[in-house]
Amino acid sequence: MPSVPVIGDTLVYRYYIEEILDAEGETAVLKCFDSRLDVPQVIKMLIGDHLAPDWNARCKRFVEAFRCQARLTHPNIVRVANIETRDEWVFSVMEELQGMTLEQYADIHQLMPKDVIALFIGIMDALSLAHHHEILHMGLSPRNVILNEQGNRFSPRIINFGVIRQSEKLNPISHLPYLAPEQLLEYENAMEASDVYAIC
């Protein structure tokens, strides 16, 4: 498996890499320009040792998670535009959002009760749609909600549906506070109530 692309690379003759937004852990997040649609996009790419025993299983889980997310059309869920599994790359392509995560925003701004209620209603409505389609988020937290800027208003967008994580590798600060008890025992024990617990 190739390493993280560099700025100036073009993936699958279509996605021109403009910026590396994140390249830690098991995935990389890249800002790109989609030359076919003529719009900016964001790529989330699976990285790691393609010879590792669990590589094929990781690829399968990654692709399935984004296929599930692509089935959800909702103003509060980030839109998946494409999934690529060729030229030795495994990645999803999503709409580019302008704004901070809810975690970043809350660190520097005080959320008023009316703001909290508006965010809660939007996120719960998105989760309700996902659960109606039997799709779980499994890892909802403030870092998985982007506040997309629309003029002087913010629209919450949920990202990273269905990402499977190993319980022993969970970050005690960013992950554990939002996990329901059943997921603390085993991450994949998630159910609809686990998502509700996380948002509450």
Side-chain angles (χ1 to χ4, degrees):
M1 178 70 182
S3 58
V4 177
V6 299
I7 295 173
D9 281 354
T10 299
L11 301 182
V12 295
Y13 307 101
R14 176 174 178 176
Y15 303 105
Y16 177 81
I17 306 303
E18 297 182 327
E19 185 179 351
I20 310 299
L21 302 176
D22 183 35
E24 297 182 2
E26 298 182 340
T27 57
V29 181
L30 319 167
K31 180 180 177 180
C32 71
F33 187 81
D34 184 340
S35 61
R36 186 173 300 170
L37 296 180
D38 199 30
V39 294
Q41 305 270 32
V42 169
I43 283 174
K44 185 163 188 178
M45 172 178 292
L46 191 63
I47 57 177
D49 181 6
H50 75 290
L51 297 178
D54 66 341
W55 177 254
N56 288 337
R58 286 180 57 207
C59 289
K60 182 178 179 180
R61 290 195 301 264
F62 181 91
V63 169
E64 182 56 31
F66 281 100
R67 280 178 176 163
C68 287
Q69 188 169 326
R71 292 198 291 268
L72 301 176
T73 303
H74 191 281
N76 299 121
I77 297 175
V78 67
R79 181 176 57 85
V80 175
N82 196 12
I83 299 171
E84 291 284 358
T85 57
R86 61 194 177 101
D87 291 354
E88 298 187 315
W89 301 105
V90 179
F91 62 88
S92 68
V93 184
M94 296 166 284
E95 61 177 323
E96 182 189 34
L97 302 177
Q98 300 294 331
M100 295 179 280
T101 66
L102 178 55
E103 178 183 61
Q104 293 168 332
Y105 187 86
D107 281 343
I108 58 178
H109 298 282
Q110 182 177 0
L111 288 167
M112 297 293 101
K114 66 176 183 178
D115 299 322
V116 174
I117 292 172
L119 289 171
F120 183 85
I121 291 173
I123 295 169
M124 281 301 295
D125 191 60
L127 278 181
S128 177
L129 173 71
H131 291 170
H132 176 74
H133 289 277
E134 300 183 345
I135 296 172
L136 301 178
H137 188 283
M138 302 181 70
L140 192 62
S141 74
R143 67 170 42 194
N144 282 326
V145 176
I146 294 179
L147 300 182
N148 191 44
E149 296 181 24
Q150 298 178 318
N152 58 358
R153 299 181 59 191
F154 293 107
S155 172
R157 303 287 184 93
I158 304 176
I159 61 175
N160 294 333
F161 270 82
V163 177
I164 303 296
R165 295 181 173 90
Q166 293 177 297
S167 299
E168 63 273 13
K169 292 184 179 180
L170 294 175
N171 186 308
I173 296 176
S174 59
H175 294 138
L176 296 186
Y178 306 97
L179 286 186
E182 63 273 9
Q183 280 188 280
L184 288 174
L185 295 175
E186 178 58 48
Y187 193 85
E188 295 187 51
N189 284 341
M191 49 187 171
E192 290 183 5
S194 309
D195 286 345
V196 176
Y197 179 97
I199 188 175
C200 291

